[in-house]
Amino acid sequence: DNIDVTKITPINIVVGAVDYSNQINKSVKLEAGWKSSFTWFNNNVGVSYFESGKWNSDPDLTNDYSLAENIQAAYSSLSYNISEKISIIGGLRYEYLNSVLDSKTEKGIVDLHYGELFPSFFFTGKPNKNHTFNVSVNRRIDRPTFNELAPFILFVTPETCLSGNENLLPATSMVYKPEYQLRKYLFSFTYTQTKNAIARVQPSSGSDPTKQYFISRNFDRAETLQGMFAFPLVLTKWWSTQNNFSVIYRGTATNYDGIDVDIKNRSFRVNMINSFKLSKLVTAEISGFYQSSSANGIAVSKPLGRVDIGLQKKFKNENSRLNLNLRLRLYHQHKCRR
């Protein structure tokens, strides 16, 4: 099949910010500020098929869109060193969003006007040089990228394509994270609750039943529990390692095209860096990671991993060096469950 796809999307962004900082005394510091961002673009998308000796436009996939968006944010934080061993930081940010998306054929495809508060709190305690405690609680926002919002068409096959989703909403999360460090050993636990979680590359049905679309879309709610343990090891005078182990639980629930979906997934990830000092002038490094099967929306990624091998030789004059690098990948595949 002959398919002609065009996309013209000039994006204009203007950002301005004012910041204020005041060290009230040796223990207390106040910071505040205001940030404004203005974005506007036109997104002209066209899809045509060559049929019967001429190009015919696809009305379902061809249109001209315009987006105007501005975000106003006011924020402040107060840092207080209670003692040499204990400090706290409290912050609050208020954001107001105006976002309007129109097309030549439809007005008000997106018409958002709302304000949100984002509080944050951080506590650090260090009773001695060997022990450090950190606790943080904060509310965050994950905005969709303009590439995800701006409608586009990328054909994988004549019947399968990737597309933008103009109805994608920002995701908001509450994040709770206690952390403990014993010398060079780090233990942390993170619990995240998310509303309108953004899942990338999800299957969706359009008006044409012969085509399959993959888009980013919102899930009603999601929660994530993650435990992490990071530590270094010095095995010999010439061999040292840095290691990171994570165990992750994800739960996602939404109504997906009329079907109630509740997905639970457990996974783990291992990262390792091995450094070797073979001589005064020759060093080597072997690093890599392994990620077990994990969920992304209704899609499940098979296990994946990578190994990087590097070798470096310095010359005696110290002004030149030779590097050799090799990367080995285990590519992952997705499978979808509906």
Side-chain angles (χ1 to χ4, degrees), residues 195-208:
K195 178 183 177 183
N196 295 325
I198 298 175
R200 272 84 183 179
V201 196
Q202 303 297 300
S204 181
S205 300
S207 57
D208 186 348

Side-chain angles (χ1 to χ4, degrees), residues 106-170:
E106 184 180 356
K107 301 297 182 183
I109 299 172
V110 174
D111 192 359
L112 299 176
H113 312 275
Y114 62 86
E116 295 272 3
L117 282 171
F118 297 93
S120 60
F121 174 79
F122 301 89
F123 168 85
T124 299
K126 192 171 183 177
N128 55 55
K129 65 179 182 179
N130 294 324
H131 302 274
T132 303
F133 300 90
N134 295 296
V135 177
S136 65
V137 180
N138 59 83
R139 188 167 186 256
R140 300 176 181 175
I141 187 167
D142 177 17
R143 299 189 185 279
T145 66
F146 290 123
N147 283 336
E148 291 174 314
L149 283 171
F152 69 93
I153 298 294
L154 176 63
F155 283 91
V156 181
T157 72
E159 296 80 24
T160 306
C161 55
L162 303 175
S163 177
N165 180 7
E166 63 272 17
N167 296 306
L168 202 59
L169 297 172

